Amino acid sequence: MRNAPTILHLDMDAFYASVEQASKPSLRGKAVIVGGLGPRGVVATASYEARVFGVHSAMPMGQARRLAPNAAYLVPRFGIYRDVSEQVMGLLRELSPLVEPLSLDEAFVDLEAGGAAWDEESARLVGVKLRADIRAATGLAGSVGLAASKMLAKIASEEAKPDGLVVIEPGTERALLAPMSVRTLPGVGPATGDHLRRAGIHTVDEIAEAGEDELVRLLGKAHGHALYAMALAHDERPVVAEREAKSVSVEDTYDVDIHDRVRVGLEVQRLADRCVRRLRGAGLSGRTIVLKVRRYDFSTLTRSETLRGPTDDPGVVREAALRLLDSVDTTGGVRLLGVGVTGLADYTQEDLFAQVAGERVEHGEEGAPEEPLAEREAALSVERRWVAGHDVRHAEHGHGWVQGSGLGRVTVRFETPESSGPGRVRTFRVDDPGLEAADPLPLVRERRGVSGGDGGDAEGGGHGVGGVLGVEAGFLGRERERGGGGVGEAPPVVPG
């Protein structure tokens, strides 16, 4: 372990909820809960105002509603979360080439590797400036921990929450760790914690007192050795630079099991299109198409097909996903569907789709019949829902966000991140021709004579629960559970 606190851990405070509060002036200072809103939904993030009521990430949404019935309940907007995360990660990469993201809102940085810090004073100055830069760029708060190891830096950032900075001075680590719960150490989850508690070990100091041999006897050789070393504040894990993505994927969980086979096919095609948008957005293509199906009895099946070359063509991905669906029995209903692409490359095989089309011509099947396409468009039109928290624009009233919808009506609050106060509330028919889905606005805009947006008087209207089929999450790549959140792309309007 190094002699200076030059490992930095950044954790953006209540990230999803903070982004929603920054973009919606009417929610600032209020309880905001982000996650899946259906009966199977879970909390992805709760604002600090909501945590006062006992709401926390990974909690079932039904329980959260009982604890905080008057909170604002919103569906995640993963697109804007990724955009803000990229801004923050960009600031971290300016400090060092060794940046290890753990999720959209959390990362380690080796400041010494980038020459940004070499002792306690320089590290502290970097932490202070980083927090100021993040707030200037995004309007959000981040908590920073600085220490001589990754384990201690993360503990420091936890101590710094919310919106603070904590530096652990070398030489003070053992005294700091001693009274802390065993659950503080990496790798000690509920099961290991219970096992240690039954052995009379509750604190980190008691782990150190138990000795390495006793921990090996209790937990096994690898885990026992590692845990004993961490209890002594020894953590030699290096900061590892971000690895390249190995897959791109999206998935949806449905409030009500889907039984209709045609509907299942339409959902698979929609997921395939969304996956390709993410693929193209990353400038990638892929060779292996993967379909994930979780059935009514929670059994999960995964099917894959490897193409002759990498592609980012939505037609090819859709067809491959549908072929994979043909091999899956969905009798009884489907509760989750996912489509992913692996075998990533930064090029495409240009004639791949042409080859597929050519094979169709040879069999006398050139072109897709018009009737299924019309049926698909009709289904999407009927099933379109305005999702709580997502962005819309009205021809007359401008930019706003959906507070809730139901019974053929949708309630919208018209405000932007720059609004001076809560915006006006209006209710429309769900098929109002003047209302359309919109892209999120930047949380912080460059001031070049731009006016303050659509602020106005609040005319009432509660926080609606909206409608959505589930919270998506990438299921193939590296991911970190944070409640019900995930890394997939969620469009402002979710069909079906």
Side-chain angles (χ1 to χ4, degrees):
M1 191 167 66
R2 61 188 71 193
N3 296 319
T6 55
I7 299 294
L8 181 148
H9 181 263
L10 170 71
D11 199 341
M12 299 296 292
D13 298 335
F15 183 53
Y16 295 175
S18 294
V19 171
E20 299 300 342
Q21 289 175 319
S23 64
K24 301 173 173 67
S26 58
L27 299 184
R28 294 170 189 169
K30 298 182 179 179
V32 175
I33 298 170
V34 181
L37 301 188
R40 293 170 178 163
V42 296
V43 175
T45 307
S47 69
Y48 283 96
E49 295 87 353
R51 296 180 191 187
V52 172
F53 298 99
V55 180
H56 57 78
S57 61
M59 174 181 285
M61 191 60 76
Q63 183 180 355
R65 289 188 184 280
R66 289 191 293 273
L67 292 172
N70 296 319
Y73 288 86
L74 307 176
V75 174
R77 297 184 299 156
F78 291 107
I80 189 171
Y81 304 154
R82 281 197 306 274
D83 290 344
V84 175
S85 176
E86 288 172 4
Q87 287 181 280
V88 173
M89 296 302 166
L91 293 173
L92 297 182
R93 294 187 185 98
E94 292 177 5
L95 300 175
S96 173
L98 292 184
V99 176
E100 182 179 346
L102 303 180
S103 63
L104 291 178
D105 60 340
E106 184 179 5
F108 287 109
V109 184
D110 188 331
L111 299 178
E112 190 174 19
W118 50 91
D119 59 14
E120 181 184 343
E121 182 180 358
S122 59
R124 187 184 295 273
L125 290 174
V126 168
V128 170
K129 184 177 185 301
L130 174 63
R131 293 178 60 241
D133 289 346
I134 290 173
R135 190 176 291 278
T138 68
L140 303 180
S143 294
V144 170
L146 289 155
S149 70
K150 291 170 69 172
M151 176 187 73
L152 293 166
K154 183 172 175 60
I155 290 172
S157 70
E158 289 293 326
E159 293 292 313
K161 290 183 178 180
D163 192 17
L165 183 151
V166 168
V167 180
I168 298 178
E169 300 177 11
T172 67
E173 299 93 346
R174 289 285 303 277
L176 176 74
L177 287 174
M180 292 185 172
S181 165
V182 295
R183 291 290 304 276
T184 302
L185 300 181
V188 181
T192 302
D194 288 343
H195 196 53
L196 290 170
R197 190 182 67 252
R198 288 194 295 270
I201 300 173
H202 302 85
T203 66
V204 175
D205 190 44
E206 289 171 343
I207 290 179
E209 289 179 355
E212 189 170 14
D213 292 342
E214 177 65 8
L215 290 171
V216 168
R217 187 186 69 80
L218 288 171
L219 304 174
K221 187 174 182 180
H223 201 178
H225 284 314
L227 199 58
Y228 181 70
M230 286 188 287
L232 299 180
H234 297 159
D235 179 20
E236 302 298 333
R237 294 174 301 161
V239 175
V240 180
E242 183 177 13
R243 298 177 179 88
E244 293 184 2
K246 296 182 179 179
S247 64
V248 172
S249 58
V250 296
E251 66 182 41
D252 274 345
T253 300
Y254 303 98
D255 290 345
V256 179
D257 292 344
I258 303 176
H259 292 83
D260 182 71
R261 184 75 178 187
V262 173
R263 167 75 185 284
V264 172
L266 292 175
E267 289 296 318
V268 167
Q269 293 181 71
R270 182 174 64 83
L271 288 166
D273 289 346
R274 212 162 78 212
C275 183
V276 168
R277 287 200 297 271
R278 287 199 61 206
L279 197 68
R280 288 182 168 180
L284 298 170
S285 62
R287 188 177 181 185
T288 300
I289 314 303
V290 181
L291 175 72
K292 177 180 176 181
V293 180
R294 180 167 296 149
R295 297 185 291 192
Y296 70 99
D297 58 357
F298 287 88
S299 61
T300 302
L301 305 176
T302 302
R303 299 286 185 267
S304 64
E305 175 181 319
T306 299
L307 307 173
R308 286 170 290 179
T311 183
D312 65 352
D313 191 297
V316 174
V317 176
R318 276 197 304 269
E319 289 189 13
L322 288 174
R323 285 195 297 272
L324 294 170
L325 179 63
D326 288 340
S327 66
V328 177
D329 180 11
T330 60
T331 304
V334 170
R335 60 184 292 120
L336 178 147
L337 291 168
V339 174
V341 178
T342 67
L344 301 183
D346 56 3
Y347 67 95
T348 60
Q349 182 155 329
E350 299 295 342
D351 64 344
L352 184 61
F353 185 66
Q355 291 173 357
V356 174
E359 291 172 1
R360 283 179 164 183
V361 172
E362 291 175 6
H363 291 84
E365 298 179 2
E366 182 178 5
E370 294 183 3
E371 185 175 352
L373 178 61
E375 289 178 355
R376 181 186 181 204
E377 291 178 344
L380 294 181
S381 175
V382 170
E383 296 173 352
R384 187 179 79 163
R385 297 182 180 183
W386 299 102
V387 182
H390 284 219
D391 298 84
V392 294
R393 175 166 291 279
H394 192 272
E396 179 182 352
H397 302 287
H399 190 95
W401 58 278
V402 176
Q403 287 201 186
S405 64
L407 302 177
R409 301 283 179 177
V410 55
T411 299
V412 178
R413 186 180 289 275
F414 292 98
E415 60 185 2
T416 74
E418 297 177 330
S419 298
S420 58
R424 303 179 302 274
V425 175
R426 296 284 187 271
T427 298
F428 308 92
R429 293 182 56 86
V430 293
D431 58 355
D432 188 303
L435 192 65
E436 61 181 2
D439 292 328
L441 297 177
L443 301 185
V444 175
R445 187 173 303 194
E446 290 186 24
R447 303 287 180 178
R448 295 179 180 174
V450 180
S451 62
D454 302 317
D457 59 314
E459 297 185 0
H463 298 298
V465 299
V468 70
L469 295 176
V471 179
E472 63 189 10
F475 61 87
L476 292 168
R478 185 184 74 165
E479 59 185 23
R480 169 177 173 266
E481 287 189 6
R482 236 170 132 82
V487 295
E489 174 190 2
V493 178
V494 179

